[in-house]
Amino acid sequence: MRKAVLPLLFVATLVSACGHYRPEQVTDACLILEDNRSWWRDLRRSERRWGIPPAIQLAILKRESSFNAHARPARTRLLGIIPGPRPSSAYGYAQALDGTWDWYRDETGNRGADRDDFGDAVDFIGWYGQMSGRLSNIRHDDARALYLAYHEGHTGYNRGTYRSKGWLMRAADEVARDAARYQGQLDGCERRLNRGRFWLL
């Protein structure tokens, strides 16, 4: 009995580790997804549910966490030396705040969602993008505006708070460029990623 259980534990460990794999490079969508084939399934599932293209989901993840499952904002420093509190509760692939993540879980019924789970993170990004369409009249393919609303919240976006933040405008431009580049890459490798239909279930 013990011999039968050990291989199962080994496989479970591998699957868990793969779920938190961080790509060595973050600029080529095809290489990212070929190394993490289940991520492509998760991206497509989020797109079917919420309408946000995978390229935009990836661009937001790159900007927010660089695909680090356990990313957090750097701690503040007291007197330049002593570690202080973090500036926000942002955590995980999507850098979602505690309150926004709770809102997502309440709205979707996905009570077990984890911010360090890739599938949950991209579902969150898709959901938030759809909410941006409903609350801020943003198109699902407008990467720049989607990111501005993602960062500022819908109330802030609707008030135009981003207009006084040059660094944020530049960040949104970068997200738009990344999304366009990722889309061009995916156009060339989507057929290859789709081989083996079980990835899209």
Side-chain angles (χ1 to χ4, degrees), residues 7 14 28 46 51 54-55 57 60 65 71 74 77 82 89 100 116 120 129-131 134 137 149 152 159 168 180 182:
L14 282 179
D28 189 318
S46 176
Q57 298 178 51
I60 291 174
S65 69
R77 293 281 171 176
I82 305 168
S89 61
T100 312
D116 57 8
D120 290 337
Q130 188 188 70
M131 295 296 289
R134 288 169 51 189
N137 199 31
E152 294 294 271
R159 290 177 179 169
L168 179 57
Y182 283 150

Side-chain angles (χ1 to χ4, degrees), residues 20-167:
H20 297 294
Y21 175 76
R22 186 178 181 184
E24 292 183 5
Q25 62 79 41
V26 297
T27 59
D28 189 318
C30 298
L31 292 180
I32 292 170
L33 298 174
E34 284 168 358
D35 287 343
N36 299 275
R37 294 295 295 272
S38 65
W39 287 12
W40 178 238
R41 176 200 62 205
D42 293 332
L43 290 162
R44 290 294 303 277
R45 182 180 291 155
S46 176
E47 180 187 28
R48 288 196 299 271
R49 187 177 187 189
W50 307 113
I52 306 302
I56 293 178
Q57 298 178 51
L58 287 171
I60 291 174
L61 288 175
K62 175 179 177 288
R63 177 67 198 181
E64 289 298 289
S65 69
S66 196
F67 303 98
N68 179 0
H70 303 294
R72 292 183 187 272
R75 290 186 181 277
T76 56
R77 293 281 171 176
L78 304 175
L79 305 176
I81 304 171
I82 305 168
R86 300 183 192 276
S88 79
S89 61
Y91 175 69
Y93 286 111
Q95 288 295 277
L97 300 172
D98 288 351
T100 312
W101 191 256
D102 288 341
W103 180 31
Y104 158 73
R105 294 197 299 183
D106 289 342
E107 286 283 321
T108 62
N110 189 9
R111 299 300 304 167
D114 294 316
R115 285 177 284 180
D116 57 8
D117 180 279
F118 186 88
D120 290 337
V122 295
D123 193 68
F124 169 81
I125 288 173
W127 167 81
Y128 199 91
Q130 188 188 70
M131 295 296 289
S132 296
R134 288 169 51 189
L135 301 177
S136 301
N137 199 31
I138 298 174
R139 296 194 325 271
H140 286 181
D141 62 350
D142 188 342
R144 184 176 185 277
L146 286 171
Y147 182 72
L148 289 171
Y150 190 87
H151 191 277
E152 294 294 271
H154 301 117
T155 300
Y157 177 85
N158 294 342
R159 290 177 179 169
T161 55
Y162 56 88
R163 294 192 183 99
S164 62
K165 301 176 181 178
W167 62 269

